[in-house]
Every structure is written in structure tokens, then in C-alpha cells.
Amino acid sequence: MNHRNGFNPLSRTTAHRRAMSRNMVTSLFRYERITTTKSKALEVRKSAEKLITRAKEDTVHNRREAAKFIQDEKILNKLFTEIGPRMKERNGGYTRVLKLGYRQGDAADVVILELVDYKLEDASAEEEKKPAKKAAAPKAKKAAAPKDSAAEPKAKKTTSKKAASEKKEEASAE
């Protein structure tokens, strides 16, 4: 029986498990969404939710307690300035686990662990923005350059290409 087993050791030593948990929590706060196995996600979720609860109140004590777990200062700052205030109204349940399927190599359950308020950016919105910028840039260049000055360099380039090809023909004829 497995009664009152407080945590899943994940078949790792204590040091390895602690380091892996710290790295995964840091990645979760950095990207706000990570892909991992189900058993790891359930373990990481425990410590992530405790840290977010601490981050809801930005005090020196809470920052120091969280800094014991998160080594990256930028991520620690993000936790207390962005993630904590976003979760202020929630009473827990800051993360969600979405099932993806099974990993091909070992058939492990693969899941996405993400923050509840994570917004997936629309790829279509990004694609619309990029071509609009590219299309606007050439129009601006054409409007800025006078037509006569633009035609002269092209003529010079074509004459230089012709001259180069004539030199090659002369060299091959000799």
C-alpha cells in the first residue's frame, strides 16, 4: 500500500530531484508553459503553486524564501512583479495540466504544464503583422528615392556586367 506517501521520488536521488524541480519551476515561470511527463508535472506543480502563493504578497521575507528555490534573479523578479499580482484574486489552482499523449520512445504520458492565465499567441495575428511591415518598407524606399537617380545605378550595373562578360569571352577566345 502507498498510504501517506508525501511525494514521488521519480527514481532520482534527492539532489537530482531537487535540482530538476528547481530548473523546471524556473522554466515554468520563464515561459509560462512547459512540456514534460505527467509524474514530473504533478511534482513540479506543488512547488510552483506554493511559490506563486508567496509571490502574491511582495515582502522581503517572501522574496528570500522564494530565492532559496529560484536561483535566477530575473525570473524571481518576474514572479513577484508580474505573475504574483496576476494571481492576486485566485485562491489557488494557478497551474493546469493538459494531456498531450504518449512519448514514442518509452510511452510515458506527456503533458503541458502551464499557468492558468497563459494566453496562446495567435500565429495568424503575427503573420498579418509581418507582411504589413515588409510591404510598407519598400513603398517608403520607392517614395523617398527619385526615379532618375534610381535608374542610373541600374544602368551602370548592367554595363559593368556586360563588360565583365565581354572580358571573359575575350579571355576564352585567346
Side-chain angles (χ1 to χ4, degrees):
M1 288 196 214
N2 202 12
H3 295 298
R4 309 262 309 164
N5 191 5
F7 64 95
N8 182 353
L10 300 171
S11 300
R12 286 166 170 77
T13 62
T14 305
H16 184 186
R17 188 174 54 250
R18 186 176 295 142
M20 183 186 66
S21 179
R22 287 178 174 181
N23 288 333
M24 290 181 76
V25 168
T26 302
S27 294
L28 176 65
F29 293 149
R30 177 177 288 135
Y31 302 112
E32 299 186 9
R33 185 178 203 184
I34 57 173
T35 304
T36 183
T37 60
K38 184 179 178 183
S39 55
K40 287 181 193 173
L42 296 178
E43 285 302 310
V44 167
R45 172 187 225 176
K46 293 175 187 177
S47 51
E49 299 228 356
K50 289 176 184 176
L51 287 171
I52 293 172
T53 302
R54 281 206 179 266
K56 287 166 66 172
E57 186 179 347
D58 192 359
T59 63
V60 175
H61 177 69
N62 284 344
R63 276 187 179 261
R64 287 179 178 166
E65 288 296 313
K68 289 180 183 178
F69 203 82
I70 297 174
Q71 303 296 320
D72 191 347
E73 203 163 309
K74 290 179 183 177
I75 303 304
L76 184 66
N77 193 31
K78 179 181 179 180
L79 174 65
F80 279 89
T81 58
E82 293 177 29
I83 297 171
R86 279 191 338 219
M87 305 291 184
K88 197 79 166 174
E89 300 302 316
R90 287 186 160 273
N91 293 326
Y94 312 113
T95 58
R96 79 167 56 103
V97 176
L98 304 171
K99 296 178 183 177
L100 285 179
Y102 299 101
R103 193 161 53 195
Q104 189 171 5
D106 60 355
D109 286 333
V110 178
V111 298
I112 293 174
L113 177 64
E114 67 180 8
L115 297 180
V116 170
D117 62 350
Y118 178 78
K119 299 269 190 292
L120 185 63
E121 294 179 14
D122 293 334
S124 60
E126 290 178 12
E127 291 174 7
E128 290 174 5
K129 291 177 185 176
K130 290 181 182 178
K133 290 180 182 177
K134 290 181 182 177
K139 289 179 184 176
K141 289 180 182 177
K142 288 180 183 177
K147 293 181 180 178
D148 295 331
S149 64
E152 291 175 10
K154 290 180 182 176
K156 289 180 182 178
K157 288 180 183 176
T158 55
T159 56
S160 64
K161 289 181 181 177
K162 288 181 182 177
S165 63
E166 289 175 3
K167 286 181 183 179
K168 287 180 182 177
E169 289 176 336
E170 290 176 2
S172 62
E174 293 175 359

